[in-house]
Amino acid sequence: MQPAVSVKDLKIAYGDHTVIEKLSIDIAPREFLVLLGPSGCGKSTLLNSIAGLQDISDGEIWISDKNVTWAEPKDRGIGMVFQSYALYPRMSVRKNLSFGLRVAGLPKAEIEARIARTASLLHLDKLLDRRPSELSGGQRQRVAIGRALVREVNVFLFDEPLSNLDAKLRNELRVEIKKLHQSLGNTMIYVTHDQVEALTLADRIAIMKDGVIQQLASPSEIYHRPVNLFVAGFIGAPAMNFIRGEIVLKSGTPVFESNGLAIDLASYPFLTAVKEGPATLGIRPEHIAPDGVASGSPTIPGIVSVVEPMGADTVLWFDWAGQSLSYRIMGDAALQPGMAIAPRLDIAKASLFDADGARL
Ligand SMILES: Nc1ncnc2c1ncn2[C@@H]1O[C@H](COP(=O)(O)OP(=O)(O)OP(=O)(O)O)[C@@H](O)[C@H]1O
Ligand SMILES: [Mg+2]
């Protein structure tokens, strides 16, 4: 199948500072792709290069079957929503929505039909005659999304569209964007540094660091089988616990040893043959002391330092071998700081990394 968007061997440099080097990615029709990564990793640069707002040093950008590497943004068949939604303050919502279409010279009836469709999708029907100053932040952001939607193109690009909104509104609009994608079935490329947005919206997530895609996979794959320490540490809240130690073979069975812990790794699905040597065991807070973990599972002894009730669940921090680790249990915890504990580890859900940080 022809990808909806294809980036081939992209290189982008500012002077002699290379931001992106040899990046390639294909995005399928109807796919919701999220570009996720820390500030400065190159997410906006990559998105802007697809939009045509960014000069590239090398490589090609294809949209559907057209090489658009040198095409003007308006000729690429994309709609874009930015973080700062910069609406025209003196125009009504209706005029804001129709501006681009009027400039493009679309017939009046067509413009009105598109605005009606978009306004109904985004629940803006009753706000069409207001000015931006008479709208809430969430309503303004919906108008900004609407301005991209009225173009009725196949590919939509979003650059952190929700980051200026408060947490409650962000959650609401996130659900609306997902519904929008389900009903429109367009290709969407969505930049964020919010892992919850990435996990909830994406068909696939591309996790970037320093201009390089570290892992491109489904949210579930990225959560359960992170390819390296960076991805493992970036996804999950609280973050995955990392325990440094060593893998040794004991009569043929791999065992992870660290500060008196000896964890049998017979059930760990190694990607390749087991090698002895330094390793890091990664285990998520929700995979320590989970309900129903087998009774023979290894335990980790510690002293509770902080109890964080979160409503539906509780995060417990504890000290072990000079390190602070966390785990999460459902509901309230009958534990106090200072108490000794020895929660079980669900080793089948753990991740192991070699000395270079690559998944074992
Ligand atoms: N005009 C410029 N000149 C030089 N360097 C730039 C320029 N614009 C961006 N950069 C650099 O390119 C890198 C990537 O920037 P980019 O804006 O793509 O990051 P980002 O991942 O979108 O970050 P954020 O999450 O903060 O928006 C950064 O290191 C940034 O400093
Ligand atoms: Mg950015």
Side-chain angles (χ1 to χ4, degrees):
M1 187 169 34
Q2 176 93 46
V5 175
S6 191
V7 175
K8 302 179 188 190
D9 293 329
L10 180 70
K11 178 180 171 182
I12 295 176
Y14 297 103
D16 39 5
H17 172 49
T18 300
V19 177
I20 289 175
E21 181 133 45
K22 282 235 167 246
L23 185 149
S24 296
I25 185 170
D26 284 343
I27 297 126
R30 309 176 72 87
E31 181 167 21
F32 200 125
L33 180 91
V34 170
L35 299 173
L36 176 70
S39 187
C41 73
K43 306 178 296 292
S44 296
T45 304
L46 173 57
L47 198 74
N48 289 341
S49 71
I50 295 169
L53 304 170
Q54 167 84 49
D55 284 339
I56 71 171
S57 311
D58 205 358
E60 289 178 3
I61 312 269
W62 289 66
I63 292 179
S64 186
D65 56 354
K66 288 199 194 73
N67 181 345
V68 299
T69 312
W70 305 111
E72 291 291 323
K74 66 175 173 45
D75 300 329
R76 293 191 178 204
I78 50 138
M80 182 140 176
V81 182
F82 298 92
Q83 172 180 352
S84 53
Y85 26 80
L87 303 176
Y88 302 108
R90 289 169 197 287
M91 293 184 194
S92 65
V93 169
R94 185 191 310 278
K95 288 255 160 70
N96 263 285
L97 290 175
S98 64
F99 184 77
L101 305 180
R102 284 182 280 135
V103 170
L106 253 71
K108 198 161 176 259
E110 173 65 18
I111 294 178
E112 271 166 19
R114 287 197 193 184
I115 287 180
R117 272 198 294 275
T118 303
S120 132
L121 259 176
L122 292 168
H123 315 296
L124 293 169
D125 324 60
K126 296 202 173 73
L127 305 174
L128 285 173
D129 296 315
R130 292 209 203 158
R131 289 189 182 180
S133 61
E134 298 162 336
L135 301 175
S136 72
Q139 291 167 336
R140 280 180 217 164
Q141 192 55 296
R142 291 214 299 267
V143 177
I145 294 171
R147 257 191 336 196
L149 289 192
V150 289
R151 304 200 54 209
E152 300 196 349
V153 289
N154 291 325
V155 178
F156 288 109
L157 310 178
F158 292 84
D159 195 349
E160 310 222 22
L162 308 184
S163 59
N164 283 335
L165 305 174
D166 68 41
K168 183 165 180 288
L169 212 47
R170 214 155 54 215
N171 291 346
E172 285 171 14
L173 269 186
R174 194 179 74 216
V175 175
E176 284 189 32
I177 288 178
K178 185 150 186 163
K179 280 191 195 151
L180 203 62
H181 179 246
Q182 284 167 359
S183 63
L184 295 174
N186 307 64
T187 305
M188 294 195 175
I189 308 179
Y190 186 105
V191 164
T192 183
H193 56 247
D194 180 325
Q195 51 161 318
V196 177
E197 274 174 37
L199 290 168
T200 52
L201 289 171
D203 293 316
R204 283 190 306 165
I205 301 174
I207 297 209
M208 293 178 70
K209 180 189 172 215
D210 300 335
V212 177
I213 295 177
Q214 307 286 309
Q215 186 166 10
L216 172 62
S218 70
S220 156
E221 178 80 8
I222 282 183
Y223 174 83
H224 290 290
R225 297 166 61 83
V227 292
N228 59 32
L229 278 174
F230 173 81
V231 174
F234 198 78
I235 289 278
M240 186 184 275
N241 298 291
F242 293 125
I243 298 172
R244 281 171 203 274
E246 217 168 341
I247 296 177
V248 292
L249 285 170
K250 295 227 161 129
S251 34
T253 304
V255 175
F256 177 83
E257 293 187 343
S258 175
N259 281 297
L261 281 184
I263 297 171
D264 185 327
L265 298 174
S267 65
Y268 182 82
F270 285 92
L271 296 178
T272 51
V274 180
K275 268 210 318 249
E276 289 187 292
T280 299
L281 176 81
I283 185 148
R284 296 196 183 280
E286 49 273 40
H287 299 147
I288 299 181
D291 288 342
V293 63
S295 61
S297 309
T299 57
I300 185 163
I303 304 292
V304 175
S305 59
V306 174
V307 180
E308 290 186 305
M310 309 278 223
D313 50 20
T314 304
V315 173
L316 293 144
W317 293 86
F318 66 103
D319 297 322
W320 167 80
Q323 219 184 319
S324 184
L325 304 175
S326 70
Y327 69 105
R328 180 198 291 278
I329 60 167
M330 292 303 290
D332 301 323
L335 287 169
Q336 303 286 336
M339 284 184 171
I341 50 163
R344 290 199 173 112
L345 306 178
D346 190 351
I347 288 304
K349 300 224 171 86
S351 293
L352 279 166
F353 304 96
D354 67 14
D356 300 324
R359 185 182 190 84
L360 286 168

